[in-house]
Amino acid sequence: MKLLEFFLGNKSRTADTAKDRLKLIVVRDRASTGTGPDFLPMLQQDLLEVVRRYVEIDEDKVQIDVDRKGNLSMLEVNIELPGRYGN
Amino acid sequence: MAKIITVTSGKGGVGKTTSAAAIGTGLAQAGKRTVVIDFDVGLRNLDLVMGCERRVVFDFVNVIHDDIRVQQALIKDKRLDNLFILPASQTRDKDALDQEGVGRVLDELAKEFDFIVCDSPAGIERGALLALYFADEAVVVANPEVSSVRDSDRIIGILNSRSKRAESGDEQVKLHLLLTRYDAERVEQGEMLKTDDVLEILAIPLLGVIPHDKTVLAASNVGTPIVLEAGSIAGQAYQDSVKRLLGDDVPMRFVEPRRAGWFTRFLRRSA
């Protein structure tokens, strides 16, 4: 078996483990430090996924931003759909 | 009006100073009047990487505290007429920088330069926070490795919440990811995170991928910014990145493994 691995180069793909671990830890880090708009990239990704259940849109068609004025923060979401939808 | 670009990473040793020197030099090569500022007070190294360590007289802290004019502290690069370096102090500590003083120096430099490149220290303490506070754009340098990517995510969070632009409600700091020490062969073997993995986690636009390349160490040994080394693939990748920073659409190079012969592959596999 070892000999077969040697010739096929069947090493374990540790990069996949790295990616999975990172995904988890980054979410936890963001949750514990995220008072600011640190969560924006994830929110953007989530919104994109939801919209894509209905309409196929490009990654860059969902724009979100936090607008701050004094004590007020406003979440601005812009989603551009292809073509003309609805009535 | 000058554009302030901060080169930052969170984690140390990922190639911030090498990248700041390369980007600054590349911008100057493109004809832009550029100054590169070392924010690593107490541990200055930009002077060494750019080969001007013996010409340091005054530094950033002198300009802030000791009535030295910024023009007196600027070191003109020997190779490019429109490239200058503002070195950090080696004897003071990071608390020698304050927001008001840094802002004053940047305002002064903004009158004369097209680009101000800020080389951030590692960590998320005062020097690093000040280096990113005034940024218009930020180049987040990361290696395809777990601790570097995690720290980059943290620094992106800080850029989005604690920069001047975030505080004033202006348009956010424009973020760029620069992936350095990329080894396409190890990526193909599944031993190293690939560009898309890192992009999926950090979710900021990709500025460039710099291949792992021995000439980077050789260039820093002799104090030459890597973009000036003809024939260096890392140097060429940095040049491409600078073009993208200036708005050009340049395809990625050196991100696929070089096709090795069967014998080399056999050796690699058995290693």
Side-chain angles (χ1 to χ4, degrees), chain B residues 44-57:
Chain B
R44 89 166 162 231
N45 275 319
L46 181 70
D47 54 338
L48 263 181
V49 173
M50 296 192 68
C52 63
E53 70 279 7
R54 290 167 65 181
R55 294 191 289 140
V56 175
V57 182

Side-chain angles (χ1 to χ4, degrees), chain A residues 15-33:
Chain A
D16 298 339
T17 315
K19 185 183 175 187
D20 294 342
R21 291 176 61 222
L22 266 170
K23 274 183 162 172
L24 284 174
I25 197 65
V26 155
V27 170
R28 265 181 50 186
D29 284 352
R30 286 176 189 165
S32 61
T33 57

Side-chain angles (χ1 to χ4, degrees), chain B residues 191-243:
Chain B
E191 296 174 6
M192 183 181 267
L193 288 164
K194 59 176 179 286
T195 308
D196 285 347
D197 295 342
V198 181
L199 284 173
E200 189 183 325
I201 290 159
L202 297 180
I204 63 171
L206 182 66
L207 179 69
V209 178
I210 311 298
H212 184 79
D213 181 2
K214 286 180 178 170
T215 61
V216 174
L217 180 60
S220 86
N221 283 342
V222 296
T224 305
I226 189 68
V227 286
L228 297 177
E229 291 289 351
S232 155
I233 56 168
Q236 291 170 45
Y238 272 115
Q239 274 173 340
D240 290 352
S241 305
V242 170
K243 285 181 189 153

Side-chain angles (χ1 to χ4, degrees), chain A residues 75-86:
Chain A
L75 184 66
E76 204 179 284
V77 181
N78 264 306
I79 303 173
E80 191 188 320
L81 301 179
R84 201 192 139 118
Y85 272 83

Side-chain angles (χ1 to χ4, degrees), chain B residues 82-217:
Chain B
N82 51 353
L83 178 60
F84 291 80
I85 295 110
L86 179 57
S89 165
Q90 184 68 330
T91 50
R92 311 284 272 270
D93 64 59
K94 286 187 173 65
D95 294 332
L97 297 178
D98 62 278
Q99 190 163 301
E100 190 273 330
V102 171
R104 210 164 5 101
V105 174
L106 291 176
D107 280 345
E108 189 70 27
L109 291 169
K111 292 178 198 158
E112 282 185 47
F113 288 94
D114 301 319
F115 283 94
I116 301 172
V117 178
C118 302
D119 179 20
S120 171
I124 49 173
E125 276 141 52
R126 189 174 219 162
L129 295 181
L130 285 172
L132 67 80
Y133 185 73
F134 295 96
D136 296 309
E137 302 191 17
V139 175
V140 177
V141 182
N143 293 162
E145 174 267 321
V146 285
S147 46
S148 173
V149 175
R150 182 192 197 177
D151 291 359
S152 293
D153 189 72
R154 187 89 171 82
I155 213 82
I156 290 167
I158 293 172
L159 278 158
N160 283 334
S161 59
R162 294 172 71 178
S163 66
K164 190 178 175 192
R165 281 171 173 267
E167 282 181 3
S168 64
D170 278 352
E171 200 183 322
Q172 286 284 6
V173 178
K174 192 172 177 191
L175 302 176
H176 307 275
L177 175 67
L178 187 65
L179 204 53
T180 59
R181 302 228 177 88
Y182 193 77
D183 187 332
E185 270 122 40
R186 298 194 72 183
V187 167
E188 195 184 53
Q189 302 283 319
E191 296 174 6
M192 183 181 267
L193 288 164
K194 59 176 179 286
T195 308
D196 285 347
D197 295 342
V198 181
L199 284 173
E200 189 183 325
I201 290 159
L202 297 180
I204 63 171
L206 182 66
L207 179 69
V209 178
I210 311 298
H212 184 79
D213 181 2
K214 286 180 178 170
T215 61
V216 174
L217 180 60

